[in-house]
Amino acid sequence: MKIQWRDALCIDNGPIDADHKHLIGLINELLDLKAHSSRDEKFIEILNKLKAYTVVHFRREEELQKAAGFPRSEERRVGKECRSRWSPYH
């Protein structure tokens, strides 16, 4: 079942929502591939794109939170955990 973007998911009508829409698109591509194909190399390619973009997204969220003066939050901790698992450049 594909993920559908809806207004209830909206955060800022800006870069964070654009990131979330892109991430949902990548997840939906993975779901389509698994449902209609056995092309494991394409699945791995899209999974790697998803992992890389997730790292970019969490970094962007953390920078925006810092610029807005947000206190240290659970979301920022999750982003660091994500980068430590998926990126050699965290």
Side-chain angles (χ1 to χ4, degrees):
M1 176 191 273
K2 284 187 170 185
I3 300 169
Q4 297 293 319
W5 179 263
R6 55 193 187 283
D7 289 342
L9 300 173
C10 187
I11 301 292
D12 68 350
N13 286 316
I16 298 301
D17 286 342
D19 282 356
H20 290 165
K21 289 175 184 178
H22 186 74
L23 291 166
I24 287 171
L26 291 170
I27 292 167
N28 285 338
E29 282 187 61
L30 289 175
L31 294 171
D32 281 345
L33 274 177
K34 273 313 201 193
H36 301 106
S37 174
S38 61
R39 293 185 52 207
D40 289 335
E41 67 278 353
K42 184 67 173 173
F43 186 84
I44 297 299
E45 176 188 328
I46 295 169
L47 183 61
N48 285 333
K49 287 180 183 180
L50 178 62
K51 288 167 46 174
Y53 200 80
T54 300
V55 170
V56 169
H57 170 68
F58 278 125
R59 187 170 286 133
R60 183 183 347 267
E61 277 191 345
E62 290 171 5
E63 288 171 2
L64 289 170
Q65 288 174 353
K66 185 177 179 181
F70 276 38
R72 197 116 188 106
S73 66
E74 182 67 17
E75 291 81 9
R76 292 171 73 182
R77 188 183 68 75
V78 170
K80 286 186 179 186
E81 287 179 13
C82 173
R83 283 197 308 277
S84 70
R85 290 185 188 148
W86 289 356
S87 173
Y89 308 108
H90 62 282

